[in-house]
């Protein structure tokens, strides 16, 4: 039985998955599901973030193995986490049984203005430089989610504010994570790992064309949600789980690990 590794994105931590891990675990009937944090985030907020994606991969591989979970792994990864998953698949394909990339953006397949929509530059910059935790999390939620009710949004915002107060991400680590994302460049050829791309058609942070371009270049399946935003598992966790379960039925159940 392979372990499922869930990787979040920029400035986010394991708890930002909400109840998605529980929903995925129930659908898979698997208890081997782990949600590690990148250095600088969550319980590792006291550590210095890596300034490049390959270093992020090495840290996650080391931490997951040290926690008692040997390969093979399935990975579900969002945004910057999906960049790390891509690097992992390119460098250590023998360790992975399958990879799901959610709302990612990869050079050389997309332009810089597709990878982060220019309309967001002023608000994001002002938020990073001056905003208090509640304002900061409110901005991130505004930009990343489209489908929450007023009550759901209030609860999520309250949770996120608590996470930020408990494990704040330093401005230095934010800049290092941004640097890692900007530096990363994927190979032009697809990793030798089963892949699925998922994306929100109305993502306000990253143009959905970024995921479509990767799928076209790598000839891998993609499913897009007509209403969801950047944080697709937050907007519609059930849809994400459904897509993963359907995809699993189309790929080999086991991959050899030398």
């Amino acid at each position: 039985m392979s372990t499922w590794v869930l990787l979040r994105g920029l400035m986010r931590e394991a708890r930002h998955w909400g109840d998605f891990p529980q929903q995925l675990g129930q659908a898979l009937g698997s208890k081997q599901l782990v949600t590690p944090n990148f250095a600088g985030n969550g319980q590792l907020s006291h550590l210095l973030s890596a300034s490049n994606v390959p270093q992020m991969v090495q840290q996650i591989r080391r931490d997951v193995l040290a926690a008692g979970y040997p390969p093979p792994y399935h990975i579900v990864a969002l945004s910057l986490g999906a960049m790390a998953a891509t690097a992992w698949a390119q460098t250590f394909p023998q360790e992975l049984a399958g990879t799901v990339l959610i709302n990612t953006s990869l050079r050389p397949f997309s332009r810089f203005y597709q990878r982060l929509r220019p309309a967001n530059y002023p608000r994001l910059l002002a938020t990073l430089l001056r905003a208090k935790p509640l304002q900061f999390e409110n901005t991130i939620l505004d930009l990343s989610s489209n489908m929450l009710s007023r009550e759901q949004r209030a609860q999520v915002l309250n949770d996120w504010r608590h996470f930020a107060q408990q494990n704040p991400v330093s401005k230095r680590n934010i800049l290092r994570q941004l640097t890692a994302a900007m530096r990363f460049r994927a190979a032009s050829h697809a990793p030798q790992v089963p892949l699925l791309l998922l994306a929100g058609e109305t993502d306000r942070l990253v143009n959905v064309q970024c995921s479509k371009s990767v799928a076209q270049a790598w000839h891998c399946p993609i499913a897009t949600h007509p209403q969801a935003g950047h944080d697709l598992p937050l907007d519609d966790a059930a849809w994400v789980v459904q897509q993963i379960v359907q995809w699993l039925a189309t790929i080999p159940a086991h991959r050899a690990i030398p």
Side-chain angles (χ1 to χ4, degrees), residues 9 15-16 25 30 35 51 79 87 103 112 173 180 196 227 250 255-256:
R15 290 178 294 180
H16 286 101
S30 170
T35 55
S51 60
S79 196
N103 280 329
F112 75 92
N173 278 338
L196 171 67
Q227 296 171 297
T250 70
R255 282 167 52 85

Side-chain angles (χ1 to χ4, degrees), residues 163-184:
F163 303 159
Q165 291 172 335
Q166 192 172 46
N167 298 117
V169 183
S170 69
K171 286 185 171 59
R172 183 184 185 189
N173 278 338
I174 292 173
L175 290 174
R176 290 177 70 85
Q177 292 173 39
L178 280 168
T179 299
M182 290 187 293
R183 284 179 174 175
F184 182 65

Side-chain angles (χ1 to χ4, degrees), residues 111-246:
R111 304 283 188 177
F112 75 92
Y113 54 82
Q114 294 175 313
R115 299 179 67 210
L116 180 60
R117 293 180 183 272
N120 296 320
Y121 294 173
R123 187 178 181 187
L124 284 173
L125 183 60
T127 299
L128 288 172
L129 293 177
R130 298 191 299 271
K132 296 179 180 180
L134 179 58
Q135 296 171 310
F136 183 90
E137 296 302 331
N138 186 65
T139 297
I140 298 301
L141 187 55
D142 278 349
L143 294 174
S144 60
S145 174
N146 297 344
M147 296 177 60
L148 299 182
S149 68
R150 181 178 298 180
E151 292 76 15
Q152 289 172 323
R153 190 185 187 286
Q155 182 60 58
V156 169
L157 185 57
N158 185 64
D159 290 343
W160 286 12
R161 178 176 58 177
H162 172 70
F163 303 159
Q165 291 172 335
Q166 192 172 46
N167 298 117
V169 183
S170 69
K171 286 185 171 59
R172 183 184 185 189
N173 278 338
I174 292 173
L175 290 174
R176 290 177 70 85
Q177 292 173 39
L178 280 168
T179 299
M182 290 187 293
R183 284 179 174 175
F184 182 65
R185 184 181 182 90
S188 58
H189 58 277
Q192 298 303 302
V193 172
L195 294 171
L196 171 67
L197 272 72
L198 301 177
E201 288 282 358
T202 55
D203 186 341
R204 294 196 296 274
L205 273 175
V206 176
N207 194 314
V208 68
Q209 188 58 45
C210 294
S211 292
K212 292 179 178 179
S213 295
V214 173
Q216 182 178 14
W218 285 352
H219 305 289
C220 58
I222 183 172
T224 62
H225 192 295
Q227 296 171 297
H230 191 67
D231 199 336
L232 212 167
L234 175 63
D235 272 348
D236 197 342
W239 183 88
V240 175
V241 169
Q242 180 185 37
Q243 299 305 316
I244 292 173
V245 170
Q246 291 175 351

Side-chain angles (χ1 to χ4, degrees), residues 1-5 30-33 70-74 95 97-98 253-254:
M1 179 187 299
S2 69
T3 296
W4 286 75
V5 180
S30 170
K31 297 181 180 178
Q32 292 191 148
L33 192 151
Y73 306 116
H74 284 89
E95 295 181 355
H254 302 284

